[in-house]
Short mmCIF file of all heavy atoms in Angstrom, two decimals:
data_model
loop_
_atom_site.label_atom_id
_atom_site.label_comp_id
_atom_site.label_asym_id
_atom_site.label_seq_id
_atom_site.Cartn_x
_atom_site.Cartn_y
_atom_site.Cartn_z
N SER A 65 -13.53 -10.46 -2.29
CA SER A 65 -14.26 -10.30 -3.56
C SER A 65 -13.99 -8.92 -4.18
O SER A 65 -13.92 -8.80 -5.40
CB SER A 65 -15.76 -10.51 -3.36
OG SER A 65 -16.26 -9.57 -2.45
N LEU A 66 -13.83 -7.91 -3.34
CA LEU A 66 -13.52 -6.59 -3.86
C LEU A 66 -12.13 -6.54 -4.47
O LEU A 66 -11.92 -5.95 -5.52
CB LEU A 66 -13.66 -5.54 -2.73
CG LEU A 66 -13.61 -4.11 -3.12
CD1 LEU A 66 -14.67 -3.76 -4.12
CD2 LEU A 66 -13.75 -3.24 -1.88
N PHE A 67 -11.20 -7.21 -3.85
CA PHE A 67 -9.85 -7.26 -4.40
C PHE A 67 -9.80 -8.03 -5.71
O PHE A 67 -9.01 -7.72 -6.60
CB PHE A 67 -8.85 -7.85 -3.39
CG PHE A 67 -8.47 -6.93 -2.29
CD1 PHE A 67 -8.90 -7.14 -1.01
CD2 PHE A 67 -7.68 -5.82 -2.54
CE1 PHE A 67 -8.53 -6.27 0.01
CE2 PHE A 67 -7.31 -4.94 -1.55
CZ PHE A 67 -7.75 -5.18 -0.25
N GLU A 68 -10.66 -9.04 -5.84
CA GLU A 68 -10.70 -9.82 -7.09
C GLU A 68 -11.10 -8.95 -8.27
O GLU A 68 -10.75 -9.26 -9.41
CB GLU A 68 -11.67 -11.00 -6.94
CG GLU A 68 -11.14 -12.08 -6.00
CD GLU A 68 -12.20 -13.13 -5.67
OE1 GLU A 68 -13.29 -13.12 -6.29
OE2 GLU A 68 -11.94 -13.94 -4.77
N GLU A 69 -11.81 -7.87 -8.02
CA GLU A 69 -12.29 -6.98 -9.08
C GLU A 69 -11.36 -5.79 -9.28
O GLU A 69 -11.64 -4.92 -10.07
CB GLU A 69 -13.69 -6.46 -8.74
CG GLU A 69 -14.72 -7.56 -8.58
CD GLU A 69 -16.03 -7.02 -8.01
OE1 GLU A 69 -16.19 -5.78 -7.92
OE2 GLU A 69 -16.88 -7.84 -7.68
N THR A 70 -10.29 -5.73 -8.52
CA THR A 70 -9.41 -4.55 -8.50
C THR A 70 -8.13 -4.81 -9.31
O THR A 70 -7.47 -5.82 -9.12
CB THR A 70 -9.04 -4.17 -7.06
OG1 THR A 70 -10.25 -3.94 -6.33
CG2 THR A 70 -8.16 -2.95 -7.00
N ASP A 71 -7.79 -3.87 -10.17
CA ASP A 71 -6.55 -3.98 -10.97
C ASP A 71 -5.42 -3.19 -10.33
O ASP A 71 -4.25 -3.63 -10.37
CB ASP A 71 -6.78 -3.43 -12.38
CG ASP A 71 -7.74 -4.30 -13.15
OD1 ASP A 71 -7.66 -5.53 -13.04
OD2 ASP A 71 -8.58 -3.74 -13.88
N VAL A 72 -5.70 -2.01 -9.78
CA VAL A 72 -4.69 -1.14 -9.19
C VAL A 72 -5.32 -0.46 -7.97
O VAL A 72 -6.47 -0.04 -8.03
CB VAL A 72 -4.24 -0.04 -10.18
CG1 VAL A 72 -3.26 0.90 -9.52
CG2 VAL A 72 -3.63 -0.65 -11.43
N LEU A 73 -4.56 -0.37 -6.89
CA LEU A 73 -5.04 0.33 -5.71
C LEU A 73 -4.35 1.71 -5.67
O LEU A 73 -3.14 1.80 -5.85
CB LEU A 73 -4.70 -0.43 -4.43
CG LEU A 73 -5.25 0.28 -3.20
CD1 LEU A 73 -6.35 -0.53 -2.58
CD2 LEU A 73 -4.16 0.60 -2.22
N ALA A 74 -5.13 2.73 -5.46
CA ALA A 74 -4.59 4.09 -5.34
C ALA A 74 -4.61 4.51 -3.88
O ALA A 74 -5.57 4.28 -3.18
CB ALA A 74 -5.41 5.06 -6.16
N PHE A 75 -3.52 5.13 -3.45
CA PHE A 75 -3.45 5.66 -2.10
C PHE A 75 -2.79 7.03 -2.16
O PHE A 75 -1.66 7.22 -1.77
CB PHE A 75 -2.66 4.70 -1.19
CG PHE A 75 -2.89 4.94 0.29
CD1 PHE A 75 -4.00 4.44 0.90
CD2 PHE A 75 -1.99 5.68 1.01
CE1 PHE A 75 -4.24 4.66 2.25
CE2 PHE A 75 -2.21 5.92 2.37
CZ PHE A 75 -3.33 5.40 2.99
N PRO A 76 -3.54 8.03 -2.69
CA PRO A 76 -3.01 9.38 -2.78
C PRO A 76 -3.20 10.10 -1.47
O PRO A 76 -4.12 10.90 -1.31
CB PRO A 76 -3.80 10.01 -3.92
CG PRO A 76 -5.13 9.32 -3.85
CD PRO A 76 -4.82 7.92 -3.35
N SER A 77 -2.36 9.82 -0.50
CA SER A 77 -2.56 10.30 0.87
C SER A 77 -1.61 11.43 1.21
O SER A 77 -0.58 11.64 0.56
CB SER A 77 -2.30 9.14 1.84
OG SER A 77 -2.40 9.56 3.16
N HIS A 78 -1.98 12.14 2.25
CA HIS A 78 -1.10 13.16 2.81
C HIS A 78 -0.52 12.66 4.14
O HIS A 78 -0.01 13.43 4.92
CB HIS A 78 -1.85 14.48 3.03
CG HIS A 78 -2.47 14.98 1.76
ND1 HIS A 78 -1.74 15.28 0.65
CD2 HIS A 78 -3.76 15.17 1.42
CE1 HIS A 78 -2.56 15.67 -0.32
NE2 HIS A 78 -3.78 15.59 0.13
N LEU A 79 -0.60 11.37 4.35
CA LEU A 79 -0.06 10.75 5.56
C LEU A 79 1.43 10.43 5.34
O LEU A 79 1.94 10.59 4.25
CB LEU A 79 -0.82 9.47 5.89
CG LEU A 79 -2.33 9.64 6.09
CD1 LEU A 79 -2.99 8.29 6.29
CD2 LEU A 79 -2.62 10.55 7.26
#
Side-chain angles (χ1 to χ4, degrees):
S65 61
L66 189 58
F67 284 110
E68 290 169 9
E69 301 170 9
T70 302
D71 293 320
V72 177
L73 182 112
F75 198 81
S77 176
H78 304 299
L79 303 175

